[in-house]
PDB file of all heavy atoms in Angstrom:
ATOM      1  N   LYS A 284      10.605  75.517  30.887  1.00  0.00           N
ATOM      2  CA  LYS A 284      11.617  74.503  31.192  1.00  0.00           C
ATOM      3  C   LYS A 284      12.702  74.441  30.126  1.00  0.00           C
ATOM      4  O   LYS A 284      13.798  73.963  30.376  1.00  0.00           O
ATOM      5  CB  LYS A 284      10.946  73.129  31.346  1.00  0.00           C
ATOM      6  CG  LYS A 284      10.046  73.029  32.570  1.00  0.00           C
ATOM      7  CD  LYS A 284       9.487  71.623  32.718  1.00  0.00           C
ATOM      8  CE  LYS A 284       8.619  71.511  33.960  1.00  0.00           C
ATOM      9  NZ  LYS A 284       8.050  70.153  34.125  1.00  0.00           N
ATOM     10  N   ASP A 285      12.363  74.837  28.902  1.00  0.00           N
ATOM     11  CA  ASP A 285      13.370  74.881  27.852  1.00  0.00           C
ATOM     12  C   ASP A 285      13.439  76.300  27.291  1.00  0.00           C
ATOM     13  O   ASP A 285      12.457  77.029  27.280  1.00  0.00           O
ATOM     14  CB  ASP A 285      13.058  73.867  26.740  1.00  0.00           C
ATOM     15  CG  ASP A 285      11.661  74.047  26.153  1.00  0.00           C
ATOM     16  OD1 ASP A 285      11.427  75.076  25.506  1.00  0.00           O
ATOM     17  OD2 ASP A 285      10.819  73.151  26.341  1.00  0.00           O
ATOM     18  N   HIS A 286      14.611  76.668  26.844  1.00  0.00           N
ATOM     19  CA  HIS A 286      14.851  78.028  26.347  1.00  0.00           C
ATOM     20  C   HIS A 286      15.538  77.893  24.998  1.00  0.00           C
ATOM     21  O   HIS A 286      16.721  77.557  24.926  1.00  0.00           O
ATOM     22  CB  HIS A 286      15.724  78.802  27.332  1.00  0.00           C
ATOM     23  CG  HIS A 286      15.252  78.714  28.755  1.00  0.00           C
ATOM     24  ND1 HIS A 286      14.290  79.547  29.278  1.00  0.00           N
ATOM     25  CD2 HIS A 286      15.584  77.855  29.757  1.00  0.00           C
ATOM     26  CE1 HIS A 286      14.067  79.231  30.540  1.00  0.00           C
ATOM     27  NE2 HIS A 286      14.831  78.200  30.853  1.00  0.00           N
ATOM     28  N   ASP A 287      14.769  78.134  23.909  1.00  0.00           N
ATOM     29  CA  ASP A 287      15.348  77.897  22.589  1.00  0.00           C
ATOM     30  C   ASP A 287      15.664  79.164  21.820  1.00  0.00           C
ATOM     31  O   ASP A 287      16.099  79.094  20.675  1.00  0.00           O
ATOM     32  CB  ASP A 287      14.443  76.977  21.759  1.00  0.00           C
ATOM     33  CG  ASP A 287      13.021  77.497  21.624  1.00  0.00           C
ATOM     34  OD1 ASP A 287      12.741  78.597  22.121  1.00  0.00           O
ATOM     35  OD2 ASP A 287      12.199  76.786  21.023  1.00  0.00           O
ATOM     36  N   ASP A 288      15.456  80.353  22.416  1.00  0.00           N
ATOM     37  CA  ASP A 288      15.815  81.581  21.713  1.00  0.00           C
ATOM     38  C   ASP A 288      16.444  82.580  22.672  1.00  0.00           C
ATOM     39  O   ASP A 288      16.069  82.673  23.836  1.00  0.00           O
ATOM     40  CB  ASP A 288      14.596  82.193  21.022  1.00  0.00           C
ATOM     41  CG  ASP A 288      13.465  82.512  21.982  1.00  0.00           C
ATOM     42  OD1 ASP A 288      13.555  83.537  22.686  1.00  0.00           O
ATOM     43  OD2 ASP A 288      12.486  81.744  22.033  1.00  0.00           O
ATOM     44  N   ALA A 289      17.412  83.309  22.170  1.00  0.00           N
ATOM     45  CA  ALA A 289      18.081  84.357  22.946  1.00  0.00           C
ATOM     46  C   ALA A 289      18.237  85.584  22.056  1.00  0.00           C
ATOM     47  O   ALA A 289      18.343  85.462  20.828  1.00  0.00           O
ATOM     48  CB  ALA A 289      19.447  83.883  23.439  1.00  0.00           C
ATOM     49  N   VAL A 290      18.238  86.781  22.657  1.00  0.00           N
ATOM     50  CA  VAL A 290      18.253  88.028  21.884  1.00  0.00           C
ATOM     51  C   VAL A 290      19.279  89.009  22.457  1.00  0.00           C
ATOM     52  O   VAL A 290      19.623  88.967  23.639  1.00  0.00           O
ATOM     53  CB  VAL A 290      16.859  88.690  21.863  1.00  0.00           C
ATOM     54  CG1 VAL A 290      15.859  87.829  21.106  1.00  0.00           C
ATOM     55  CG2 VAL A 290      16.353  88.939  23.284  1.00  0.00           C
ATOM     56  N   TYR A 291      19.716  89.884  21.590  1.00  0.00           N
ATOM     57  CA  TYR A 291      20.595  90.981  21.993  1.00  0.00           C
ATOM     58  C   TYR A 291      20.474  92.066  20.933  1.00  0.00           C
ATOM     59  O   TYR A 291      20.239  91.788  19.753  1.00  0.00           O
ATOM     60  CB  TYR A 291      22.046  90.516  22.097  1.00  0.00           C
ATOM     61  CG  TYR A 291      23.022  91.639  22.384  1.00  0.00           C
ATOM     62  CD1 TYR A 291      23.054  92.262  23.632  1.00  0.00           C
ATOM     63  CD2 TYR A 291      23.909  92.082  21.401  1.00  0.00           C
ATOM     64  CE1 TYR A 291      23.948  93.297  23.889  1.00  0.00           C
ATOM     65  CE2 TYR A 291      24.805  93.110  21.656  1.00  0.00           C
ATOM     66  CZ  TYR A 291      24.821  93.723  22.901  1.00  0.00           C
ATOM     67  OH  TYR A 291      25.689  94.755  23.158  1.00  0.00           O
ATOM     68  N   ALA A 292      20.595  93.324  21.353  1.00  0.00           N
ATOM     69  CA  ALA A 292      20.529  94.444  20.412  1.00  0.00           C
ATOM     70  C   ALA A 292      21.543  95.500  20.820  1.00  0.00           C
ATOM     71  O   ALA A 292      21.863  95.651  22.008  1.00  0.00           O
ATOM     72  CB  ALA A 292      19.124  95.040  20.371  1.00  0.00           C
ATOM     73  N   GLU A 293      22.002  96.247  19.822  1.00  0.00           N
ATOM     74  CA  GLU A 293      22.940  97.334  20.080  1.00  0.00           C
ATOM     75  C   GLU A 293      22.746  98.410  19.020  1.00  0.00           C
ATOM     76  O   GLU A 293      22.257  98.124  17.908  1.00  0.00           O
ATOM     77  CB  GLU A 293      24.381  96.817  20.046  1.00  0.00           C
ATOM     78  CG  GLU A 293      24.795  96.246  18.705  1.00  0.00           C
ATOM     79  CD  GLU A 293      26.179  95.618  18.745  1.00  0.00           C
ATOM     80  OE1 GLU A 293      26.766  95.550  19.836  1.00  0.00           O
ATOM     81  OE2 GLU A 293      26.669  95.190  17.677  1.00  0.00           O
ATOM     82  N   PRO A 294      23.097  99.646  19.340  1.00  0.00           N
ATOM     83  CA  PRO A 294      22.994 100.716  18.330  1.00  0.00           C
ATOM     84  C   PRO A 294      23.945 100.439  17.173  1.00  0.00           C
ATOM     85  O   PRO A 294      25.046  99.915  17.372  1.00  0.00           O
ATOM     86  CB  PRO A 294      23.399 101.975  19.098  1.00  0.00           C
ATOM     87  CG  PRO A 294      23.276 101.615  20.543  1.00  0.00           C
ATOM     88  CD  PRO A 294      23.551 100.145  20.645  1.00  0.00           C
ATOM     89  N   ASP A 295      23.532 100.759  15.966  1.00  0.00           N
ATOM     90  CA  ASP A 295      24.397 100.605  14.807  1.00  0.00           C
ATOM     91  C   ASP A 295      25.333 101.811  14.718  1.00  0.00           C
ATOM     92  O   ASP A 295      24.872 102.958  14.663  1.00  0.00           O
ATOM     93  CB  ASP A 295      23.551 100.489  13.539  1.00  0.00           C
ATOM     94  CG  ASP A 295      24.370 100.079  12.329  1.00  0.00           C
ATOM     95  OD1 ASP A 295      25.598  99.933  12.473  1.00  0.00           O
ATOM     96  OD2 ASP A 295      23.783  99.914  11.237  1.00  0.00           O
ATOM     97  N   VAL A 296      26.644 101.566  14.727  1.00  0.00           N
ATOM     98  CA  VAL A 296      27.626 102.658  14.693  1.00  0.00           C
ATOM     99  C   VAL A 296      27.938 103.093  13.265  1.00  0.00           C
ATOM    100  O   VAL A 296      28.736 104.024  13.058  1.00  0.00           O
ATOM    101  CB  VAL A 296      28.927 102.229  15.399  1.00  0.00           C
ATOM    102  CG1 VAL A 296      28.657 101.954  16.877  1.00  0.00           C
ATOM    103  CG2 VAL A 296      29.537 100.994  14.728  1.00  0.00           C
ATOM    104  N   ASP A 297      27.316 102.454  12.286  1.00  0.00           N
ATOM    105  CA  ASP A 297      27.530 102.844  10.893  1.00  0.00           C
ATOM    106  C   ASP A 297      26.961 104.241  10.656  1.00  0.00           C
ATOM    107  O   ASP A 297      25.762 104.471  10.866  1.00  0.00           O
ATOM    108  CB  ASP A 297      26.833 101.832   9.981  1.00  0.00           C
ATOM    109  CG  ASP A 297      27.035 102.140   8.501  1.00  0.00           C
ATOM    110  OD1 ASP A 297      27.704 103.145   8.175  1.00  0.00           O
ATOM    111  OD2 ASP A 297      26.512 101.375   7.672  1.00  0.00           O
ATOM    112  N   PRO A 298      27.804 105.200  10.216  1.00  0.00           N
ATOM    113  CA  PRO A 298      27.309 106.562   9.973  1.00  0.00           C
ATOM    114  C   PRO A 298      26.190 106.604   8.930  1.00  0.00           C
ATOM    115  O   PRO A 298      25.362 107.521   8.945  1.00  0.00           O
ATOM    116  CB  PRO A 298      28.558 107.311   9.471  1.00  0.00           C
ATOM    117  CG  PRO A 298      29.717 106.500   9.948  1.00  0.00           C
ATOM    118  CD  PRO A 298      29.256 105.083   9.964  1.00  0.00           C
ATOM    119  N   GLY A 299      26.156 105.630   8.063  1.00  0.00           N
ATOM    120  CA  GLY A 299      25.113 105.601   7.052  1.00  0.00           C
ATOM    121  C   GLY A 299      23.791 105.077   7.557  1.00  0.00           C
ATOM    122  O   GLY A 299      22.817 105.022   6.800  1.00  0.00           O
ATOM    123  N   ASN A 300      23.745 104.684   8.822  1.00  0.00           N
ATOM    124  CA  ASN A 300      22.494 104.176   9.405  1.00  0.00           C
ATOM    125  C   ASN A 300      22.270 104.823  10.767  1.00  0.00           C
ATOM    126  O   ASN A 300      22.116 104.152  11.784  1.00  0.00           O
ATOM    127  CB  ASN A 300      22.549 102.644   9.536  1.00  0.00           C
ATOM    128  CG  ASN A 300      21.211 102.050   9.949  1.00  0.00           C
ATOM    129  OD1 ASN A 300      20.152 102.599   9.648  1.00  0.00           O
ATOM    130  ND2 ASN A 300      21.253 100.935  10.658  1.00  0.00           N
ATOM    131  N   ALA A 301      22.276 106.147  10.777  1.00  0.00           N
ATOM    132  CA  ALA A 301      22.113 106.895  12.029  1.00  0.00           C
ATOM    133  C   ALA A 301      20.786 106.539  12.696  1.00  0.00           C
ATOM    134  O   ALA A 301      19.736 106.513  12.048  1.00  0.00           O
ATOM    135  CB  ALA A 301      22.162 108.392  11.744  1.00  0.00           C
ATOM    136  N   GLY A 302      20.852 106.255  13.989  1.00  0.00           N
ATOM    137  CA  GLY A 302      19.645 105.892  14.740  1.00  0.00           C
ATOM    138  C   GLY A 302      19.207 104.465  14.520  1.00  0.00           C
ATOM    139  O   GLY A 302      18.155 104.050  15.032  1.00  0.00           O
ATOM    140  N   GLY A 303      20.009 103.688  13.772  1.00  0.00           N
ATOM    141  CA  GLY A 303      19.648 102.311  13.487  1.00  0.00           C
ATOM    142  C   GLY A 303      20.066 101.351  14.592  1.00  0.00           C
ATOM    143  O   GLY A 303      20.711 101.743  15.578  1.00  0.00           O
ATOM    144  N   HIS A 304      19.699 100.104  14.423  1.00  0.00           N
ATOM    145  CA  HIS A 304      19.960  99.092  15.449  1.00  0.00           C
ATOM    146  C   HIS A 304      20.402  97.793  14.790  1.00  0.00           C
ATOM    147  O   HIS A 304      19.995  97.468  13.670  1.00  0.00           O
ATOM    148  CB  HIS A 304      18.706  98.818  16.283  1.00  0.00           C
ATOM    149  CG  HIS A 304      18.110 100.046  16.887  1.00  0.00           C
ATOM    150  ND1 HIS A 304      18.441 100.498  18.136  1.00  0.00           N
ATOM    151  CD2 HIS A 304      17.192 100.923  16.385  1.00  0.00           C
ATOM    152  CE1 HIS A 304      17.757 101.600  18.396  1.00  0.00           C
ATOM    153  NE2 HIS A 304      16.994 101.879  17.357  1.00  0.00           N
ATOM    154  N   ILE A 305      21.233  97.038  15.511  1.00  0.00           N
ATOM    155  CA  ILE A 305      21.610  95.684  15.115  1.00  0.00           C
ATOM    156  C   ILE A 305      20.984  94.722  16.119  1.00  0.00           C
ATOM    157  O   ILE A 305      21.174  94.866  17.326  1.00  0.00           O
ATOM    158  CB  ILE A 305      23.135  95.508  15.085  1.00  0.00           C
ATOM    159  CG1 ILE A 305      23.780  96.522  14.126  1.00  0.00           C
ATOM    160  CG2 ILE A 305      23.494  94.084  14.660  1.00  0.00           C
ATOM    161  CD1 ILE A 305      25.285  96.486  14.131  1.00  0.00           C
ATOM    162  N   VAL A 306      20.231  93.770  15.616  1.00  0.00           N
ATOM    163  CA  VAL A 306      19.529  92.801  16.473  1.00  0.00           C
ATOM    164  C   VAL A 306      20.066  91.406  16.184  1.00  0.00           C
ATOM    165  O   VAL A 306      20.166  90.991  15.024  1.00  0.00           O
ATOM    166  CB  VAL A 306      18.006  92.839  16.236  1.00  0.00           C
ATOM    167  CG1 VAL A 306      17.310  91.727  17.015  1.00  0.00           C
ATOM    168  CG2 VAL A 306      17.437  94.201  16.624  1.00  0.00           C
ATOM    169  N   TYR A 307      20.428  90.694  17.238  1.00  0.00           N
ATOM    170  CA  TYR A 307      20.904  89.320  17.139  1.00  0.00           C
ATOM    171  C   TYR A 307      19.838  88.393  17.728  1.00  0.00           C
ATOM    172  O   TYR A 307      19.351  88.624  18.835  1.00  0.00           O
ATOM    173  CB  TYR A 307      22.202  89.135  17.925  1.00  0.00           C
ATOM    174  CG  TYR A 307      23.346  90.035  17.496  1.00  0.00           C
ATOM    175  CD1 TYR A 307      23.440  91.347  17.963  1.00  0.00           C
ATOM    176  CD2 TYR A 307      24.346  89.561  16.653  1.00  0.00           C
ATOM    177  CE1 TYR A 307      24.491  92.175  17.584  1.00  0.00           C
ATOM    178  CE2 TYR A 307      25.416  90.371  16.275  1.00  0.00           C
ATOM    179  CZ  TYR A 307      25.479  91.675  16.739  1.00  0.00           C
ATOM    180  OH  TYR A 307      26.520  92.481  16.371  1.00  0.00           O
ATOM    181  N   VAL A 308      19.509  87.358  16.998  1.00  0.00           N
ATOM    182  CA  VAL A 308      18.593  86.324  17.491  1.00  0.00           C
ATOM    183  C   VAL A 308      19.290  84.979  17.338  1.00  0.00           C
ATOM    184  O   VAL A 308      19.640  84.572  16.221  1.00  0.00           O
ATOM    185  CB  VAL A 308      17.258  86.325  16.728  1.00  0.00           C
ATOM    186  CG1 VAL A 308      16.382  85.153  17.193  1.00  0.00           C
ATOM    187  CG2 VAL A 308      16.521  87.647  16.920  1.00  0.00           C
ATOM    188  N   ALA A 309      19.523  84.303  18.452  1.00  0.00           N
ATOM    189  CA  ALA A 309      20.183  82.997  18.446  1.00  0.00           C
ATOM    190  C   ALA A 309      19.167  81.914  18.804  1.00  0.00           C
ATOM    191  O   ALA A 309      18.463  82.037  19.814  1.00  0.00           O
ATOM    192  CB  ALA A 309      21.347  82.986  19.434  1.00  0.00           C
ATOM    193  N   ILE A 310      19.112  80.883  17.969  1.00  0.00           N
ATOM    194  CA  ILE A 310      18.152  79.796  18.154  1.00  0.00           C
ATOM    195  C   ILE A 310      18.912  78.487  18.380  1.00  0.00           C
ATOM    196  O   ILE A 310      19.928  78.223  17.733  1.00  0.00           O
ATOM    197  CB  ILE A 310      17.239  79.658  16.922  1.00  0.00           C
ATOM    198  CG1 ILE A 310      16.549  80.990  16.617  1.00  0.00           C
ATOM    199  CG2 ILE A 310      16.200  78.564  17.141  1.00  0.00           C
ATOM    200  CD1 ILE A 310      15.659  81.518  17.719  1.00  0.00           C
ATOM    201  N   ALA A 311      18.423  77.679  19.300  1.00  0.00           N
ATOM    202  CA  ALA A 311      19.065  76.397  19.606  1.00  0.00           C
ATOM    203  C   ALA A 311      19.294  75.589  18.336  1.00  0.00           C
ATOM    204  O   ALA A 311      18.396  75.436  17.510  1.00  0.00           O
ATOM    205  CB  ALA A 311      18.203  75.611  20.587  1.00  0.00           C
ATOM    206  N   ASP A 312      20.493  75.066  18.175  1.00  0.00           N
ATOM    207  CA  ASP A 312      20.867  74.307  16.985  1.00  0.00           C
ATOM    208  C   ASP A 312      20.475  72.841  17.158  1.00  0.00           C
ATOM    209  O   ASP A 312      21.311  71.961  17.389  1.00  0.00           O
ATOM    210  CB  ASP A 312      22.369  74.443  16.739  1.00  0.00           C
ATOM    211  CG  ASP A 312      22.782  73.917  15.372  1.00  0.00           C
ATOM    212  OD1 ASP A 312      21.914  73.349  14.679  1.00  0.00           O
ATOM    213  OD2 ASP A 312      23.957  74.065  15.005  1.00  0.00           O
ATOM    214  N   VAL A 313      19.198  72.580  17.028  1.00  0.00           N
ATOM    215  CA  VAL A 313      18.682  71.217  17.191  1.00  0.00           C
ATOM    216  C   VAL A 313      19.196  70.303  16.085  1.00  0.00           C
ATOM    217  O   VAL A 313      19.407  69.101  16.295  1.00  0.00           O
ATOM    218  CB  VAL A 313      17.140  71.243  17.224  1.00  0.00           C
ATOM    219  CG1 VAL A 313      16.575  69.828  17.318  1.00  0.00           C
ATOM    220  CG2 VAL A 313      16.645  72.074  18.401  1.00  0.00           C
ATOM    221  N   ALA A 314      19.419  70.860  14.897  1.00  0.00           N
ATOM    222  CA  ALA A 314      19.879  70.051  13.769  1.00  0.00           C
ATOM    223  C   ALA A 314      21.219  69.390  14.047  1.00  0.00           C
ATOM    224  O   ALA A 314      21.552  68.369  13.436  1.00  0.00           O
ATOM    225  CB  ALA A 314      19.975  70.923  12.514  1.00  0.00           C
TER     226      ALA A 314
END
Side-chain angles (χ1 to χ4, degrees):
K284 292 184 178 180
D285 55 67
H286 311 275
D287 56 3
D288 58 78
V290 294
Y291 175 71
E293 62 186 5
D295 190 358
V296 297
D297 181 359
N300 188 29
H304 306 268
I305 302 175
V306 174
Y307 302 82
V308 175
I310 305 299
D312 192 354
V313 177

